[in-house]
Amino acid sequence: MKHPLLDELVARMRAARAAGDANQPSEEQLRLHRELAESCPAFVPNLMELARLLRLDDNPPSDSTSEAVEVELRQLLEQAVLASGRSAPALVELAYFLDIFHDSPPEAETLFEEGARKALGTLEEAWAGLISYWSSKRTRESLAKALQLGETAEKLFPESERIGHELRFARELAVADGILPPGWPHLR
């Protein structure tokens, strides 16, 4: 069986979204998302979207169906965690599910903590990248933005070598360009 191309997966997900309301899923919308999940169980955006829609669905036909939906929800979220390489959004969604639907605070807490660590790691890298990018543009405005973000990043990530390196470089450029007074990098 040939694996679908990414463009096809995205088109199918758009079609599924268009088949219902974002806050009130239709049966057709759920069917299309389920078919997509079956044909490509590693397409995390669809898994997450389907899980979100199942949580919003107010019309499960019976209690037994409600239990089946709960089982499906858990499987979708566990699959999303696995397929995403334990991404922060997938971990957090599974943690919410376990906390709310399964009253599993210890397991949920562990997942929330892991999700927070991963999200913070991504934020640290993104901020270091922005500081570097703005420093390399070397305008008054871009250096001011790099310095401002660097101050915030340094407070949140005081041990980060990458943030420290990028902020020192931004400060050196700002001193060289007369934005900061001479000797500024040595004051910090």
Side-chain angles (χ1 to χ4, degrees):
M1 181 169 111
K2 183 180 159 196
H3 189 280
L5 297 175
L6 181 58
D7 290 346
E8 179 187 342
L9 295 173
V10 171
R12 288 179 64 190
M13 188 166 159
R14 282 191 187 128
R17 282 181 175 160
D21 186 276
N23 296 311
Q24 186 67 34
S26 70
E27 286 303 314
E28 176 69 3
Q29 184 179 29
L30 293 172
R31 182 185 67 75
L32 291 170
H33 278 291
R34 282 179 173 127
E35 287 176 1
L36 180 53
E38 189 175 309
S39 68
C40 187
F43 188 45
V44 174
N46 183 64
L47 300 174
M48 301 286 286
E49 179 84 4
L50 177 54
R52 185 186 70 75
L53 290 171
L54 288 171
R55 281 196 318 270
L56 293 174
D57 190 10
D58 293 335
N59 303 317
S62 68
D63 286 342
S64 63
T65 305
S66 179
E67 289 174 26
V69 168
E70 199 171 300
V71 168
E72 181 182 11
L73 255 169
R74 183 175 185 142
Q75 289 173 341
L76 287 167
L77 292 171
E78 287 174 345
Q79 195 173 338
V81 166
L82 180 63
S84 71
R86 303 186 70 80
S87 72
L91 288 164
V92 170
E93 284 301 316
L94 179 57
Y96 273 121
F97 172 79
L98 293 173
D99 187 37
I100 294 167
F101 290 97
H102 281 278
D103 195 27
S104 303
E107 189 177 359
E109 180 182 24
T110 300
L111 292 169
F112 280 129
E113 288 172 347
E114 183 181 353
R117 277 191 309 276
K118 292 209 172 193
L120 280 171
T122 301
L123 180 63
E124 178 182 356
E125 288 300 314
W127 280 2
L130 275 173
I131 295 165
S132 174
Y133 172 77
W134 286 330
S135 295
S136 70
K137 291 187 73 76
R138 202 167 178 174
T139 66
R140 286 190 81 74
E141 295 79 21
S142 69
L143 285 172
K145 287 170 39 173
L147 293 171
Q148 184 178 17
L149 179 57
E151 295 291 328
T152 302
E154 191 175 48
K155 289 175 187 166
L156 186 59
F157 302 106
E159 304 299 317
S160 171
E161 290 181 26
R162 176 119 192 259
I163 296 284
H165 169 76
E166 297 300 344
L167 183 54
R168 280 189 300 280
F169 182 63
R171 287 176 177 153
E172 289 169 6
L173 292 175
V175 168
D177 291 357
I179 297 169
L180 291 176
W184 175 262
H186 305 293
L187 299 175
R188 295 241 172 169

